[in-house]
Amino acid sequence: CDETFDLGKDDSKKLVDSVGYGNVYLRHLLRLNNILSERNVRIMLWGDVLLKYPEIISGLPRDALICTWNYDSLASFGGFIKPFAESKNEFFVSPGVVNSNRLFPDYKTVIQNISHFTSEGFESNASGVLLTVWDDGGSALFENDWYGVTFSAERSWNPDSENFDARYDRVIMGCGKNGISGIIGKLNSLANL
């Protein structure tokens, strides 16, 4: 149920025009849920379409697991969390390390995104964190994403942790203080030029 850009076009246009985009999406989810529940599998879906059509959230199966996502540096993620926290459905927050069409991630945005989204998710009783990593475009090396991946892992367990850089350098990279994390900080500041 990701990237549903074609819903309402071609073969589905008539149905969407008749009953509405949200209702067609919900019907599809319920059909998938019926197939999966017969096999004792829970449905897990992204929350973006649900945020566009919040009236369908109440029609979801109670055991549906929602992943609400955003990759920006925002002052508040309440708009991405509150509808799902109020629905009583289990939900995960899904921050991201975005490195598409870049040589190196924008860690200023990544760190703020992960920090705020996981903290607010924790405060709103999210069941977990599902980090996404975007390396589209072919120019990115996944090795450059490890800083964000490990930062998210730590924040998933402890949203208020401090001194991450020292632990990252020592435990993940096997080097001394201000090793790799210092270089990442310098690279990030150069990106702002």
Side-chain angles (χ1 to χ4, degrees):
C1 300
D2 187 26
E3 299 186 355
T4 60
F5 310 124
D6 293 326
L7 183 60
K9 298 177 183 173
D10 298 327
D11 293 341
S12 64
K13 182 175 180 8
K14 196 176 200 179
L15 183 60
V16 168
D17 289 346
S18 170
V19 299
Y21 189 104
N23 288 324
V24 173
Y25 186 78
L26 179 60
R27 283 183 188 180
H28 182 67
L29 288 174
L30 294 174
R31 193 172 74 207
L32 290 175
N33 187 66
N34 286 339
I35 293 167
L36 294 173
S37 64
E38 290 174 2
R39 292 160 178 79
N40 294 320
V41 176
R42 285 175 69 186
I43 192 167
M44 183 177 184
L45 66 145
W46 297 112
D48 53 332
V49 174
L50 301 174
L51 291 174
K52 274 188 182 174
Y53 302 94
E55 67 278 4
I56 67 173
I57 295 173
S58 63
L60 292 173
R62 286 289 143 232
D63 66 342
L65 175 58
I66 303 164
C67 296
T68 181
W69 62 270
N70 183 283
Y71 311 134
D72 296 322
S73 173
L74 302 175
S76 171
F77 289 88
F80 295 91
I81 294 173
K82 188 176 179 183
F84 305 120
E86 289 176 348
S87 77
K88 305 301 182 201
N89 278 85
E90 186 175 4
F91 72 98
F92 282 19
V93 292
S94 298
V97 176
V98 179
N99 197 15
S100 299
N101 299 311
R102 302 175 59 99
L103 295 175
F104 199 75
D106 172 6
Y107 274 119
K108 181 178 179 187
T109 299
V110 168
I111 297 305
Q112 290 175 350
N113 171 260
I114 292 169
S115 295
H116 296 156
F117 211 179
T118 57
S119 275
E120 290 182 46
F122 179 78
E123 291 167 6
S124 297
N125 296 313
S127 293
V129 177
L130 177 66
L131 179 74
T132 63
V133 176
W134 294 96
D135 284 347
D136 303 355
S139 62
L141 300 173
F142 187 80
E143 287 76 14
N144 293 339
D145 302 328
W146 278 114
Y147 184 81
V149 170
T150 55
F151 183 77
S152 179
E154 179 168 285
R155 287 298 170 111
S156 297
W157 289 102
N158 183 2
D160 298 320
S161 64
E162 294 180 10
N163 303 320
F164 169 77
D165 285 354
R167 284 188 298 285
Y168 177 78
D169 288 342
R170 187 181 73 246
V171 177
I172 303 299
M173 301 308 290
C175 61
K177 186 177 180 180
N178 291 328
I180 301 298
S181 63
I183 294 167
I184 290 170
K186 290 284 185 200
L187 285 172
N188 211 43
S189 66
L190 289 173
N192 294 329
L193 292 177

